[in-house]
Amino acid sequence: MLKKIEKKYNEIFDNLKSLNEYLYNNPEIGREEIKASKAHMEILNKNGFQVQKEYINIKTAYRADYKGLKKGPKICFMAEYDALPEIGHGCGHNILGVTSVGAGIILKKLIDIYGGSVVVLGTPAEENFGAKVDMAKAGVFDDIDVAIISHPTGRCHKKSSSSQAIEALEFKFIGKSAHAAGDPYNGINALDAVIQLFNGVNCLRQQTKSTSKIHGIISKGGEAANVIPDLGVANFYVREKTTKEMKSLSEKVKNCAKGAAIATGCLLEIKNYEYTFKHLITNESLSNIYSENLIKLGVEKIEISGSDGSTDAGDVSHVCPTIHSYFPISDKELVGHSLEFAQATITKEAYRGMKEAMFAMVLTGIDLITKKDLFQKVKEEFNEMKKNN
Ligand SMILES: [Zn+2]
Ligand SMILES: [Zn+2]
């Protein structure tokens, strides 16, 4: 088996490497990944997948299917390929996407022998308008048995863990401008409202849980010091361990904004400026299969990852058994969302980590297709989780 995987990998490695470097050199932000999604689709098409572009009407989403000759589970590898403004692939979604594409192509090769089917799903905009949220809502995962994704990280493989639920809140305070020295009494100061919002949130922090995260910036706070600002805008992220707790925390933050609006006499508009993500619930049975395969491949250390970030894979985990693991791209720790992280995605350490993750993904797929008891365990755990969520 491993020989077959290795053989196919060696056949496609140059193409995967070129795809990775092409994305690295052509970073595109969320929902604008025109070149990236096209390049992904080309390689999948060439390798015999049935490719649907602009999947569920999202311009840069795609779905690539391969159905084997024999029946069996449908394994989905989720690909991401969005970059960050200014720092390009500082989150490494170039190599993330390539890992899923490679795993899909290799698993496809084995599926005619063992049965089942494989889907590579191109999921745009993980960083801001995560298309997995739309896909989960649209029922895309309803006929998928498991969804797997592995994300690059510093120096060690990490088990799939949880991620925080997140809501992106924009507060827009509308006041009235006036001469700051001449007739300030005729003005309504929208910057004061923003400052009061921050003060309110800072008071709130004492009464929040240690898992609560509220972080914001002032996006607009006036144009000149001698004019009372008539527009104040603050953008916040609110995160919590579970979606339910996050919603309740969001309400408290909104109340801080409402209080600030009343205190200053401003009008207040609240909107979500990015998508809301649910928390990630790892399917532990699936995660164990993946980790055991990494160990079989000679990986000696698999760390337990933290749960500080947020991802749209969270939404997927509520509709089908999901794992979101991490693979190393360096021999040292890296800071996420940095230029250094982006540069690490095209090193030989990155390709070594990619290969390990890719092989573990393929072997996990084969385990689920060939070992009914393992597959059943994954399904049972998911059904049990659904009762409580
Ligand atoms: Zn990121
Ligand atoms: Zn990322």
Side-chain angles (χ1 to χ4, degrees), residues 12-24:
I12 60 172
F13 176 72
D14 286 345
N15 290 335
L16 296 177
K17 188 167 177 272
S18 311
L19 179 63
N20 186 44
E21 284 169 9
Y22 175 68
L23 262 67
Y24 174 82

mmCIF file with all atom_site columns, all heavy atoms in Angstrom, residues 12-24:
data_model
loop_
_atom_site.group_PDB
_atom_site.id
_atom_site.type_symbol
_atom_site.label_atom_id
_atom_site.label_alt_id
_atom_site.label_comp_id
_atom_site.label_asym_id
_atom_site.label_entity_id
_atom_site.label_seq_id
_atom_site.pdbx_PDB_ins_code
_atom_site.Cartn_x
_atom_site.Cartn_y
_atom_site.Cartn_z
_atom_site.occupancy
_atom_site.B_iso_or_equiv
_atom_site.pdbx_formal_charge
_atom_site.auth_seq_id
_atom_site.auth_comp_id
_atom_site.auth_asym_id
_atom_site.auth_atom_id
_atom_site.pdbx_PDB_model_num
ATOM 1   N N   . ILE A 1 12 ? 3.502  12.877 -8.943  1.00 0.00 ? 12 ILE A N   1
ATOM 2   C CA  . ILE A 1 12 ? 2.835  14.200 -8.946  1.00 0.00 ? 12 ILE A CA  1
ATOM 3   C C   . ILE A 1 12 ? 3.596  15.279 -8.173  1.00 0.00 ? 12 ILE A C   1
ATOM 4   O O   . ILE A 1 12 ? 3.199  16.439 -8.191  1.00 0.00 ? 12 ILE A O   1
ATOM 5   C CB  . ILE A 1 12 ? 1.376  14.119 -8.404  1.00 0.00 ? 12 ILE A CB  1
ATOM 6   C CG1 . ILE A 1 12 ? 1.353  13.592 -6.951  1.00 0.00 ? 12 ILE A CG1 1
ATOM 7   C CG2 . ILE A 1 12 ? 0.505  13.284 -9.328  1.00 0.00 ? 12 ILE A CG2 1
ATOM 8   C CD1 . ILE A 1 12 ? -0.026 13.663 -6.296  1.00 0.00 ? 12 ILE A CD1 1
ATOM 9   N N   . PHE A 1 13 ? 4.687  14.883 -7.496  1.00 0.00 ? 13 PHE A N   1
ATOM 10  C CA  . PHE A 1 13 ? 5.349  15.852 -6.607  1.00 0.00 ? 13 PHE A CA  1
ATOM 11  C C   . PHE A 1 13 ? 5.730  17.165 -7.306  1.00 0.00 ? 13 PHE A C   1
ATOM 12  O O   . PHE A 1 13 ? 5.482  18.255 -6.785  1.00 0.00 ? 13 PHE A O   1
ATOM 13  C CB  . PHE A 1 13 ? 6.582  15.254 -5.912  1.00 0.00 ? 13 PHE A CB  1
ATOM 14  C CG  . PHE A 1 13 ? 7.299  16.279 -5.082  1.00 0.00 ? 13 PHE A CG  1
ATOM 15  C CD1 . PHE A 1 13 ? 6.738  16.740 -3.892  1.00 0.00 ? 13 PHE A CD1 1
ATOM 16  C CD2 . PHE A 1 13 ? 8.500  16.842 -5.501  1.00 0.00 ? 13 PHE A CD2 1
ATOM 17  C CE1 . PHE A 1 13 ? 7.369  17.721 -3.132  1.00 0.00 ? 13 PHE A CE1 1
ATOM 18  C CE2 . PHE A 1 13 ? 9.138  17.830 -4.742  1.00 0.00 ? 13 PHE A CE2 1
ATOM 19  C CZ  . PHE A 1 13 ? 8.570  18.256 -3.557  1.00 0.00 ? 13 PHE A CZ  1
ATOM 20  N N   . ASP A 1 14 ? 6.323  17.064 -8.497  1.00 0.00 ? 14 ASP A N   1
ATOM 21  C CA  . ASP A 1 14 ? 6.747  18.288 -9.188  1.00 0.00 ? 14 ASP A CA  1
ATOM 22  C C   . ASP A 1 14 ? 5.566  19.224 -9.458  1.00 0.00 ? 14 ASP A C   1
ATOM 23  O O   . ASP A 1 14 ? 5.678  20.440 -9.329  1.00 0.00 ? 14 ASP A O   1
ATOM 24  C CB  . ASP A 1 14 ? 7.454  17.951 -10.506 1.00 0.00 ? 14 ASP A CB  1
ATOM 25  C CG  . ASP A 1 14 ? 8.854  17.411 -10.250 1.00 0.00 ? 14 ASP A CG  1
ATOM 26  O OD1 . ASP A 1 14 ? 9.349  17.570 -9.109  1.00 0.00 ? 14 ASP A OD1 1
ATOM 27  O OD2 . ASP A 1 14 ? 9.442  16.814 -11.178 1.00 0.00 ? 14 ASP A OD2 1
ATOM 28  N N   . ASN A 1 15 ? 4.437  18.620 -9.831  1.00 0.00 ? 15 ASN A N   1
ATOM 29  C CA  . ASN A 1 15 ? 3.243  19.434 -10.081 1.00 0.00 ? 15 ASN A CA  1
ATOM 30  C C   . ASN A 1 15 ? 2.732  20.091 -8.797  1.00 0.00 ? 15 ASN A C   1
ATOM 31  O O   . ASN A 1 15 ? 2.288  21.238 -8.808  1.00 0.00 ? 15 ASN A O   1
ATOM 32  C CB  . ASN A 1 15 ? 2.115  18.576 -10.672 1.00 0.00 ? 15 ASN A CB  1
ATOM 33  C CG  . ASN A 1 15 ? 2.426  18.153 -12.094 1.00 0.00 ? 15 ASN A CG  1
ATOM 34  O OD1 . ASN A 1 15 ? 3.189  18.813 -12.791 1.00 0.00 ? 15 ASN A OD1 1
ATOM 35  N ND2 . ASN A 1 15 ? 1.859  17.039 -12.516 1.00 0.00 ? 15 ASN A ND2 1
ATOM 36  N N   . LEU A 1 16 ? 2.787  19.340 -7.711  1.00 0.00 ? 16 LEU A N   1
ATOM 37  C CA  . LEU A 1 16 ? 2.320  19.882 -6.425  1.00 0.00 ? 16 LEU A CA  1
ATOM 38  C C   . LEU A 1 16 ? 3.223  21.029 -5.977  1.00 0.00 ? 16 LEU A C   1
ATOM 39  O O   . LEU A 1 16 ? 2.756  22.068 -5.505  1.00 0.00 ? 16 LEU A O   1
ATOM 40  C CB  . LEU A 1 16 ? 2.292  18.788 -5.345  1.00 0.00 ? 16 LEU A CB  1
ATOM 41  C CG  . LEU A 1 16 ? 1.311  17.628 -5.567  1.00 0.00 ? 16 LEU A CG  1
ATOM 42  C CD1 . LEU A 1 16 ? 1.462  16.590 -4.456  1.00 0.00 ? 16 LEU A CD1 1
ATOM 43  C CD2 . LEU A 1 16 ? -0.136 18.121 -5.630  1.00 0.00 ? 16 LEU A CD2 1
ATOM 44  N N   . LYS A 1 17 ? 4.528  20.830 -6.161  1.00 0.00 ? 17 LYS A N   1
ATOM 45  C CA  . LYS A 1 17 ? 5.500  21.846 -5.770  1.00 0.00 ? 17 LYS A CA  1
ATOM 46  C C   . LYS A 1 17 ? 5.275  23.126 -6.600  1.00 0.00 ? 17 LYS A C   1
ATOM 47  O O   . LYS A 1 17 ? 5.271  24.234 -6.062  1.00 0.00 ? 17 LYS A O   1
ATOM 48  C CB  . LYS A 1 17 ? 6.918  21.296 -5.985  1.00 0.00 ? 17 LYS A CB  1
ATOM 49  C CG  . LYS A 1 17 ? 8.021  22.154 -5.445  1.00 0.00 ? 17 LYS A CG  1
ATOM 50  C CD  . LYS A 1 17 ? 9.340  21.374 -5.426  1.00 0.00 ? 17 LYS A CD  1
ATOM 51  C CE  . LYS A 1 17 ? 10.497 22.213 -4.948  1.00 0.00 ? 17 LYS A CE  1
ATOM 52  N NZ  . LYS A 1 17 ? 11.168 22.959 -6.011  1.00 0.00 ? 17 LYS A NZ  1
ATOM 53  N N   . SER A 1 18 ? 5.058  22.936 -7.907  1.00 0.00 ? 18 SER A N   1
ATOM 54  C CA  . SER A 1 18 ? 4.809  24.119 -8.760  1.00 0.00 ? 18 SER A CA  1
ATOM 55  C C   . SER A 1 18 ? 3.532  24.830 -8.342  1.00 0.00 ? 18 SER A C   1
ATOM 56  O O   . SER A 1 18 ? 3.476  26.064 -8.331  1.00 0.00 ? 18 SER A O   1
ATOM 57  C CB  . SER A 1 18 ? 4.647  23.735 -10.233 1.00 0.00 ? 18 SER A CB  1
ATOM 58  O OG  . SER A 1 18 ? 5.668  22.907 -10.625 1.00 0.00 ? 18 SER A OG  1
ATOM 59  N N   . LEU A 1 19 ? 2.504  24.053 -8.030  1.00 0.00 ? 19 LEU A N   1
ATOM 60  C CA  . LEU A 1 19 ? 1.227  24.646 -7.601  1.00 0.00 ? 19 LEU A CA  1
ATOM 61  C C   . LEU A 1 19 ? 1.436  25.460 -6.320  1.00 0.00 ? 19 LEU A C   1
ATOM 62  O O   . LEU A 1 19 ? 0.965  26.597 -6.205  1.00 0.00 ? 19 LEU A O   1
ATOM 63  C CB  . LEU A 1 19 ? 0.184  23.535 -7.364  1.00 0.00 ? 19 LEU A CB  1
ATOM 64  C CG  . LEU A 1 19 ? -1.203 23.968 -6.883  1.00 0.00 ? 19 LEU A CG  1
ATOM 65  C CD1 . LEU A 1 19 ? -1.908 24.843 -7.918  1.00 0.00 ? 19 LEU A CD1 1
ATOM 66  C CD2 . LEU A 1 19 ? -2.086 22.752 -6.570  1.00 0.00 ? 19 LEU A CD2 1
ATOM 67  N N   . ASN A 1 20 ? 2.184  24.895 -5.386  1.00 0.00 ? 20 ASN A N   1
ATOM 68  C CA  . ASN A 1 20 ? 2.457  25.577 -4.121  1.00 0.00 ? 20 ASN A CA  1
ATOM 69  C C   . ASN A 1 20 ? 3.202  26.892 -4.351  1.00 0.00 ? 20 ASN A C   1
ATOM 70  O O   . ASN A 1 20 ? 2.845  27.935 -3.799  1.00 0.00 ? 20 ASN A O   1
ATOM 71  C CB  . ASN A 1 20 ? 3.274  24.639 -3.215  1.00 0.00 ? 20 ASN A CB  1
ATOM 72  C CG  . ASN A 1 20 ? 3.478  25.218 -1.833  1.00 0.00 ? 20 ASN A CG  1
ATOM 73  O OD1 . ASN A 1 20 ? 2.555  25.756 -1.240  1.00 0.00 ? 20 ASN A OD1 1
ATOM 74  N ND2 . ASN A 1 20 ? 4.691  25.129 -1.322  1.00 0.00 ? 20 ASN A ND2 1
ATOM 75  N N   . GLU A 1 21 ? 4.217  26.831 -5.207  1.00 0.00 ? 21 GLU A N   1
ATOM 76  C CA  . GLU A 1 21 ? 5.029  28.034 -5.449  1.00 0.00 ? 21 GLU A CA  1
ATOM 77  C C   . GLU A 1 21 ? 4.272  29.078 -6.273  1.00 0.00 ? 21 GLU A C   1
ATOM 78  O O   . GLU A 1 21 ? 4.439  30.278 -6.067  1.00 0.00 ? 21 GLU A O   1
ATOM 79  C CB  . GLU A 1 21 ? 6.347  27.642 -6.127  1.00 0.00 ? 21 GLU A CB  1
ATOM 80  C CG  . GLU A 1 21 ? 7.290  27.020 -5.101  1.00 0.00 ? 21 GLU A CG  1
ATOM 81  C CD  . GLU A 1 21 ? 8.513  26.356 -5.704  1.00 0.00 ? 21 GLU A CD  1
ATOM 82  O OE1 . GLU A 1 21 ? 8.746  26.507 -6.923  1.00 0.00 ? 21 GLU A OE1 1
ATOM 83  O OE2 . GLU A 1 21 ? 9.228  25.661 -4.947  1.00 0.00 ? 21 GLU A OE2 1
ATOM 84  N N   . TYR A 1 22 ? 3.418  28.591 -7.164  1.00 0.00 ? 22 TYR A N   1
ATOM 85  C CA  . TYR A 1 22 ? 2.596  29.508 -7.965  1.00 0.00 ? 22 TYR A CA  1
ATOM 86  C C   . TYR A 1 22 ? 1.664  30.313 -7.046  1.00 0.00 ? 22 TYR A C   1
ATOM 87  O O   . TYR A 1 22 ? 1.533  31.536 -7.180  1.00 0.00 ? 22 TYR A O   1
ATOM 88  C CB  . TYR A 1 22 ? 1.791  28.704 -8.995  1.00 0.00 ? 22 TYR A CB  1
ATOM 89  C CG  . TYR A 1 22 ? 0.813  29.515 -9.800  1.00 0.00 ? 22 TYR A CG  1
ATOM 90  C CD1 . TYR A 1 22 ? 1.249  30.467 -10.728 1.00 0.00 ? 22 TYR A CD1 1
ATOM 91  C CD2 . TYR A 1 22 ? -0.565 29.341 -9.640  1.00 0.00 ? 22 TYR A CD2 1
ATOM 92  C CE1 . TYR A 1 22 ? 0.343  31.218 -11.468 1.00 0.00 ? 22 TYR A CE1 1
ATOM 93  C CE2 . TYR A 1 22 ? -1.478 30.079 -10.375 1.00 0.00 ? 22 TYR A CE2 1
ATOM 94  C CZ  . TYR A 1 22 ? -1.020 31.018 -11.280 1.00 0.00 ? 22 TYR A CZ  1
ATOM 95  O OH  . TYR A 1 22 ? -1.918 31.755 -12.003 1.00 0.00 ? 22 TYR A OH  1
ATOM 96  N N   . LEU A 1 23 ? 1.053  29.628 -6.087  1.00 0.00 ? 23 LEU A N   1
ATOM 97  C CA  . LEU A 1 23 ? 0.164  30.324 -5.143  1.00 0.00 ? 23 LEU A CA  1
ATOM 98  C C   . LEU A 1 23 ? 0.957  31.268 -4.243  1.00 0.00 ? 23 LEU A C   1
ATOM 99  O O   . LEU A 1 23 ? 0.516  32.381 -3.948  1.00 0.00 ? 23 LEU A O   1
ATOM 100 C CB  . LEU A 1 23 ? -0.631 29.321 -4.292  1.00 0.00 ? 23 LEU A CB  1
ATOM 101 C CG  . LEU A 1 23 ? -2.048 29.046 -4.795  1.00 0.00 ? 23 LEU A CG  1
ATOM 102 C CD1 . LEU A 1 23 ? -2.037 28.335 -6.119  1.00 0.00 ? 23 LEU A CD1 1
ATOM 103 C CD2 . LEU A 1 23 ? -2.861 28.285 -3.785  1.00 0.00 ? 23 LEU A CD2 1
ATOM 104 N N   . TYR A 1 24 ? 2.141  30.798 -3.829  1.00 0.00 ? 24 TYR A N   1
ATOM 105 C CA  . TYR A 1 24 ? 3.007  31.622 -2.977  1.00 0.00 ? 24 TYR A CA  1
ATOM 106 C C   . TYR A 1 24 ? 3.349  32.944 -3.685  1.00 0.00 ? 24 TYR A C   1
ATOM 107 O O   . TYR A 1 24 ? 3.328  34.014 -3.075  1.00 0.00 ? 24 TYR A O   1
ATOM 108 C CB  . TYR A 1 24 ? 4.286  30.848 -2.641  1.00 0.00 ? 24 TYR A CB  1
ATOM 109 C CG  . TYR A 1 24 ? 5.315  31.643 -1.885  1.00 0.00 ? 24 TYR A CG  1
ATOM 110 C CD1 . TYR A 1 24 ? 5.223  31.793 -0.503  1.00 0.00 ? 24 TYR A CD1 1
ATOM 111 C CD2 . TYR A 1 24 ? 6.392  32.247 -2.547  1.00 0.00 ? 24 TYR A CD2 1
ATOM 112 C CE1 . TYR A 1 24 ? 6.162  32.526 0.198   1.00 0.00 ? 24 TYR A CE1 1
ATOM 113 C CE2 . TYR A 1 24 ? 7.334  32.981 -1.847  1.00 0.00 ? 24 TYR A CE2 1
ATOM 114 C CZ  . TYR A 1 24 ? 7.217  33.123 -0.470  1.00 0.00 ? 24 TYR A CZ  1
ATOM 115 O OH  . TYR A 1 24 ? 8.151  33.856 0.214   1.00 0.00 ? 24 TYR A OH  1
#
